[in-house]
Amino acid sequence: MSFTAEVKNEIINNELSDVALISRLSSIISNSVIEENVRILTENANIARYIFDKFKDIFKINAKVVVRSGYNYNKNYIYILEFDDKVLLDRLGIGKNKIPENFIIDDDEMKKAYISGAFLMSGSINDPKKSQYHLELLFDNKEYALFFMNLLNSYYLNSKYLKRDNKYMVYIKESEKISDFLRIINTSNALFYYEDYRIYRDHKNMANRLNNCEQANVDKMIQAATNQINEIKLIRDNGCFELLDDKLKEVCVYRERYPESSLQELSEIISLETNNYITKSGLNHRLKKISEFANKIK
């Protein structure tokens, strides 16, 4: 079972008050086909059964159920629920462009139920274990897509929308915002699963960045030490080593002796072996003088 299917199954297993349930059913209808009648299409048998039962419980309406094979060699069945009662649209507060009346999303509980209904019908979310963070919902018209984007953003989810073929997609890319979405629709099991893998991936990425940073620092140190040794060799090959003062000569000798040491390590070695304390910055200053001297020779 996909992660999206698990989230949807958790949504339909959550208990709602009758008022919140009406908001969810309104969203389900708004995210369905509304023509001469109302048709709800889903590949999830549990969702089809849930919708059938809830409309029967709340509105005493029995939907006509049709089961068809999937299109384009899709082995899944498609469950179609049809309602002939157009009065249903008024009872569910579905207005122009499918945008709900205010009484459908009048408080926080109803808004969250409405959002969860839309996800049941048109939402999908990537499994954090397998791919990049991405949550999306597809809608038929632009006005409804913008309405739903604004509804999500009332919870600071930073959702965006774009046109995809003849559909409008509202999507969320930020991992923390997707976690917030799962919290809003009250799917705690999916949220814990998502957070576990999100934290794991974040820690793994951080470790990789630290390793890359450490490797870059090592490469930089080795390149700097190689340049310093080449400059010292240039000075020696041109017979100019004796022109350096004793402190610079000492640094040249130790850099040649310990070519793989960092500045910090080299300053500690010189301080320990000569009893002449030198700091890392002091050593760097002397190496700069040696480099300037080598440049003059060049």
Side-chain angles (χ1 to χ4, degrees):
M1 183 184 296
S2 69
F3 183 54
T4 295
E6 290 179 1
V7 174
K8 292 182 177 183
N9 284 338
E10 189 171 356
I11 288 173
I12 63 178
N13 286 324
N14 289 337
E15 292 294 329
L16 289 179
S17 67
D18 287 348
V19 172
L21 181 56
I22 290 173
S23 295
R24 178 178 288 174
L25 295 178
S26 173
S27 181
I28 288 172
I29 293 295
S30 291
N31 284 275
S32 304
V33 179
I34 303 174
E35 295 173 345
E36 294 181 359
N37 55 11
V38 176
R39 287 189 298 122
I40 300 173
L41 287 76
T42 178
E43 294 182 0
N44 189 315
N46 292 331
I47 293 177
R49 187 178 302 109
Y50 172 82
I51 295 171
F52 181 91
D53 291 342
K54 295 307 178 184
F55 272 101
K56 183 177 179 180
D57 292 342
I58 297 295
F59 297 108
K60 312 304 180 187
I61 297 175
N62 287 320
K64 177 184 176 183
V65 181
V66 178
V67 181
R68 293 179 181 170
S69 298
Y71 303 110
N72 298 326
Y73 305 103
N74 187 343
K75 295 182 179 179
N76 295 330
Y77 289 111
I78 297 175
Y79 301 89
I80 304 171
L81 289 80
E82 294 187 354
F83 297 94
D84 294 327
D85 189 358
K86 277 299 191 73
V87 178
L88 191 61
L89 301 183
D90 294 330
R91 298 172 73 182
L92 289 173
I94 299 174
K96 184 180 179 181
N97 292 318
K98 300 184 178 181
I99 296 173
E101 303 292 344
N102 289 334
F103 74 87
I104 291 296
I105 50 173
D106 195 42
D107 61 25
D108 191 57
E109 181 189 18
M110 297 168 74
K111 285 181 182 178
K112 292 178 179 179
Y114 191 90
I115 290 170
S116 67
F119 186 82
L120 278 179
M121 301 311 301
S122 62
S124 65
I125 179 172
N126 286 354
D127 190 330
K129 180 172 64 175
K130 299 178 181 178
S131 55
Q132 297 299 315
Y133 304 116
H134 182 79
L135 181 150
E136 67 177 51
L137 299 99
L138 290 175
F139 303 109
D140 290 331
N141 69 75
K142 179 179 179 181
E143 289 75 16
Y144 187 76
L146 290 173
F147 155 78
F148 198 83
M149 180 187 72
N150 291 329
L151 181 62
L152 290 180
N153 290 342
S154 68
Y155 291 99
Y156 306 102
L157 295 180
N158 195 28
S159 65
K160 298 178 175 62
Y161 97 102
L162 56 82
K163 187 175 182 182
R164 177 192 283 176
D165 299 327
N166 61 338
K167 298 279 188 177
Y168 293 87
M169 180 176 72
V170 174
Y171 65 95
I172 303 173
K173 284 285 191 182
E174 299 170 57
S175 61
E176 291 183 3
K177 301 301 183 182
I178 295 176
S179 291
D180 290 340
F181 178 91
L182 294 174
R183 190 176 295 109
I184 287 168
I185 62 175
N186 195 29
T187 52
S188 55
N189 292 334
L191 174 62
F192 291 145
Y193 172 89
Y194 190 89
E195 281 292 276
D196 282 346
Y197 278 100
R198 187 174 77 86
I199 292 170
Y200 166 75
R201 288 179 64 178
D202 287 350
H203 284 177
K204 184 178 179 180
N205 291 338
M206 183 179 293
N208 289 337
R209 285 194 295 270
L210 290 174
N211 288 336
N212 292 339
C213 182
E214 183 178 350
Q215 184 60 48
N217 288 336
V218 170
D219 293 344
K220 184 178 179 182
M221 180 195 73
I222 292 174
Q223 184 60 51
T226 301
N227 292 340
Q228 291 159 3
I229 290 172
N230 289 337
E231 289 170 345
I232 294 169
K233 184 176 184 301
L234 176 68
I235 293 171
R236 287 188 183 279
D237 290 347
N238 283 275
C240 300
F241 185 75
E242 295 302 322
L243 297 178
L244 299 174
D245 61 37
D246 291 341
K247 292 181 178 180
L248 298 185
K249 288 180 184 177
E250 182 179 73
V251 169
C252 289
V253 171
Y254 275 93
R255 172 41 87 196
E256 290 174 320
R257 191 179 299 170
Y258 301 99
E260 297 180 356
S261 297
S262 65
L263 289 183
Q264 182 63 43
E265 292 169 342
L266 194 60
S267 66
E268 292 173 358
I269 292 170
I270 294 174
S271 299
L272 183 64
E273 294 188 5
T274 65
N275 290 324
N276 295 323
Y277 179 73
I278 182 172
T279 64
K280 175 183 174 181
S281 61
L283 176 61
N284 187 52
H285 178 70
R286 293 182 188 179
L287 285 168
K288 283 184 177 179
K289 282 191 172 183
I290 293 170
S291 179
E292 290 172 358
F293 190 74
N295 285 333
K296 289 180 181 179
I297 295 175
K298 290 178 184 178

